[in-house]
Amino acid sequence: MRILMTGGAGLVGRAVVAHLASLDHEIISLVRRPSAEQLPARVSERIADATDATAVDELMAEQIDAVVHLAAIPSPGDRTAVELAAANTMATLAVLEAAAHHDVRTVVLASSISVLGMAWSPEAMHPVFVPVTEEHPLRPAEGYALSKEMDEAAARMAARRWGLSVVSLRLPFTGTAEMIRERAALAERDDSTRLALAKELWAYLDVRDAARAVELAIAASRTGRLSGAHVLNVVADDVLLDDDIADLLESWHPQTPVVGELTRGAYTTAAAAEKIGFQAVHLLGHSSSRDGDGGRP
């Protein structure tokens, strides 16, 4: 399969590129500047910005079978809502419209659990209910969450207008095993990290699981198991801290009602399991790991 990737130079993007290339797919990676390291076999780079609709359209003409769109500003930082919308949502629209123009029916987008509005909210915000499903209300309080809500809305438009199959993966804090362990350790001594984790509901994902989720989403679309627009929570099904989820919720979100079964995490990944067959296997070890590595990612 010939796959167009945007954001292939980022942390998650590099993992996705390497994983898909290992499955013998040909990857065209759209990046803003050439990689300093050697590219895997079957991977080539094209230099452009994903917001450049003309460049994206030209690449989509190269007999592309599927698109993985990860390019985005990954956090609000000090950017304005206008800047975030211009960088994130305009790139998403460029990818979707070019895919439709060249009859590329399969698109996988990187969304974020930040779309809920809690993660970067300047004020305290609590989930409306837990476990958090994909139907949880979206309450953006800053430009990044808004840009992700706009991305998901663009995906629904593309499915209705052009008949694309678009899977938006809502990712949490995603990193290598070492990065995840370091963040968990930092939370033990840093108040701002503990607060950030509480806003994110202690979610995380190993980059290896993120890469596999992209693979599964592409396969579900290409085989016809999925059509239209879908949003999926793609998170590890435990928490980043070595604490029970019920105790964490009682401490940080005591007024939030528990609706349905609360297991090891605050998010449910039932839809991802049902629709694309995804379940994270690289867990921190608060519960047993599924990949036989002794409970460590």
Side-chain angles (χ1 to χ4, degrees):
M1 192 184 311
R2 191 170 168 87
I3 300 172
L4 175 62
M5 274 277 310
T6 75
L11 177 68
V12 177
R14 293 195 302 273
V16 174
V17 166
H19 180 68
L20 294 178
S22 75
L23 300 174
D24 209 31
H25 298 304
E26 182 181 355
I27 313 299
I28 299 175
S29 181
L30 175 62
V31 294
R32 288 185 297 172
R33 59 186 64 88
S35 297
E37 54 199 48
Q38 184 175 358
L39 297 174
R42 298 185 63 78
V43 177
S44 61
E45 286 186 338
R46 307 297 171 82
I47 311 304
D49 194 296
T51 60
D52 185 340
T54 300
V56 173
D57 188 79
E58 289 174 353
L59 286 175
M60 205 76 70
E62 297 186 17
Q63 297 181 321
I64 300 299
D65 299 302
V67 184
V68 179
H69 175 49
L70 306 182
I73 294 174
S75 63
D78 59 358
R79 295 175 176 88
T80 67
V82 170
E83 290 170 333
L84 289 162
N88 291 356
T89 305
M90 292 306 293
T92 298
L93 285 169
V95 166
L96 292 171
E97 194 154 31
H101 183 205
H102 295 284
D103 200 32
V104 181
R105 318 307 296 171
T106 297
V107 183
V108 178
L109 304 178
S111 186
S112 170
I113 62 169
S114 299
V115 73
L116 301 177
M118 295 183 293
W120 298 103
S121 172
E123 305 295 336
M125 186 179 288
H126 306 284
V128 176
F129 58 81
V130 291
V132 173
T133 68
E134 290 80 0
E135 287 72 40
H136 189 283
L138 307 183
R139 301 169 295 164
E142 40 70 38
Y144 181 75
L146 178 62
S147 75
K148 289 302 179 182
E149 183 175 1
M150 292 164 68
D151 285 354
E152 293 182 4
R156 293 192 297 272
M157 179 277 291
R160 288 190 295 263
R161 176 67 179 85
W162 299 308
L164 301 186
S165 173
V166 189
V167 183
S168 299
L169 305 178
R170 285 184 181 170
L171 304 176
F173 171 80
T174 304
T176 63
E178 181 181 7
M179 291 171 61
I180 294 166
R181 287 195 293 267
E182 286 177 351
R183 195 169 194 230
L186 181 60
E188 296 296 326
R189 61 182 187 275
D190 182 69
D191 290 342
S192 63
T193 302
R194 282 195 293 274
L195 176 59
L197 291 181
K199 288 182 173 184
E200 299 164 17
L201 303 181
W202 310 279
Y204 72 93
L205 187 70
D206 190 290
V207 290
R208 293 168 290 181
D209 283 323
R212 194 167 54 86
V214 170
E215 172 206 347
L216 293 170
I218 292 172
S221 175
R222 293 281 295 174
T223 58
R225 287 189 290 118
L226 283 187
S227 60
H230 299 266
V231 173
L232 301 176
N233 291 338
V234 175
V235 302
D237 61 1
D238 63 353
V239 291
L240 194 142
L241 299 180
D242 192 11
D243 294 272
D244 184 82
I245 183 60
D247 293 338
L248 289 168
L249 289 168
E250 179 61 29
S251 296
W252 291 91
H253 305 288
Q255 303 304 316
T256 298
V258 177
V259 179
E261 182 181 4
L262 187 65
T263 55
R264 294 186 296 262
Y267 295 85
T268 177
T269 58
E274 175 188 353
K275 293 182 178 181
I276 65 173
F278 173 81
Q279 192 170 34
V281 297
H282 298 287
L283 306 182
L284 271 174
H286 309 320
S287 55
S288 60
S289 175
R290 297 185 187 88
D291 60 358
D293 63 358
R296 283 296 182 186

